[in-house]
Amino acid sequence: RTQTITVGEEFDAAIGVEEPEICLGDQTTLTAMPNESGYTYAWSSNGGVLDNASGQSTNFSATAFGDYTITLTVTSPLGCVSSAEVIIRVKNLANGNAFSNGPLCEGETLRLRAFGGSTYNWSGPNGFTSTNQNITIPNATSINAGEYRVTITDGNCEEVLSVIVTVNQETTMDITVYTELYEVNNLS
């Protein structure tokens, strides 16, 4: 009597990663290897979202920053199984803040401040732009009033914040003082 035994060839699963570090709100593509006909794939993670948990490739994204372990289990057509893991780091957005010293009166100095990043790109009223972290505009007028937006970048992550600036117009008042002089006769 003859019996045929088919032995599956051993293989090692691997994961190709587009970007091992992403910013919150971004996604990265993961690709399973080997990529051969008849193989099946099962993706899982300890959080986040995998958009194709049984495909040869999947996109991963997360709604919270942190480190996520992605596990891939590959099964060959003959039933051999191999697994691989990769860690994806999801970085928080730039932890920035921006503010001004307003509201101001016309003629005062406007100061815009931002922090929490490594680069800053400001835009504002009347085509205003600057790449300085901190801005000083002397003798502010109503044309300096409005919304200033700053894009704060920290590594590959960025955050856009806005600051509303109010510049109150100088008011003038005319004050007229009337004085009348009364003569009082000395009555004795």
Side-chain angles (χ1 to χ4, degrees), residues 21 34 41 48 62 70 74 84 89 91 105 123 138 164 169 178-179 184:
E21 289 189 358
Y41 308 94
I70 312 298
V74 180
R89 173 162 286 160
K91 299 186 295 183
C105 292
S123 64
I164 305 298
Q169 292 183 347
Y178 293 99
T179 58
V184 178

Side-chain angles (χ1 to χ4, degrees), residues 84-101:
E85 285 186 350
V86 67
I87 294 176
I88 302 295
R89 173 162 286 160
V90 178
K91 299 186 295 183
N92 198 5
L93 296 174
N95 190 19
N97 199 354
F99 57 93
S100 78
N101 63 325

Side-chain angles (χ1 to χ4, degrees), residues 1-187:
R1 176 170 190 197
T2 303
Q3 185 175 10
T4 303
I5 299 175
T6 304
V7 178
E9 188 175 316
E10 187 176 308
F11 68 95
D12 290 322
I15 302 172
V17 181
E18 178 187 37
E19 292 290 333
E21 289 189 358
I22 60 174
C23 298
L24 194 62
D26 290 344
Q27 68 179 18
T28 187
T29 300
L30 308 168
T31 305
M33 294 176 265
N35 179 15
E36 297 178 19
S37 179
Y39 282 74
T40 59
Y41 308 94
W43 297 91
S44 63
S45 82
N46 63 339
V49 176
L50 295 162
D51 73 350
N52 187 4
S54 61
Q56 191 269 327
S57 68
T58 186
N59 293 312
F60 172 79
S61 62
T63 58
F65 66 92
D67 291 342
Y68 294 87
T69 302
I70 312 298
T71 303
L72 166 67
T73 302
V74 180
T75 305
S76 74
L78 296 175
C80 295
V81 177
S82 180
S83 295
E85 285 186 350
V86 67
I87 294 176
I88 302 295
R89 173 162 286 160
V90 178
K91 299 186 295 183
N92 198 5
L93 296 174
N95 190 19
N97 199 354
F99 57 93
S100 78
N101 63 325
L104 304 170
C105 292
E106 282 189 331
E108 292 184 323
T109 298
L110 169 60
R111 290 181 180 82
L112 299 166
R113 302 288 185 248
F115 59 89
S118 54
T119 64
Y120 304 86
N121 288 301
W122 288 91
S123 64
N126 292 324
F128 172 83
T129 61
S130 176
T131 57
N132 292 332
Q133 178 178 358
N134 299 313
I135 311 297
T136 301
I137 301 173
N139 299 314
T141 66
S142 60
I143 66 168
N144 302 114
E147 181 180 18
Y148 289 81
R149 295 173 64 87
V150 59
T151 301
I152 301 172
T153 305
D154 184 16
N156 293 329
C157 299
E158 67 181 31
E159 176 175 23
V160 178
L161 301 172
S162 67
V163 176
I164 305 298
V165 172
T166 302
V167 179
N168 296 312
Q169 292 183 347
E170 185 178 316
T171 57
T172 59
M173 274 189 205
D174 289 330
I175 299 176
T176 305
V177 178
Y178 293 99
T179 58
E180 290 186 29
L181 191 55
Y182 292 98
E183 230 178 88
V184 178
N185 289 331
N186 192 1
L187 300 171

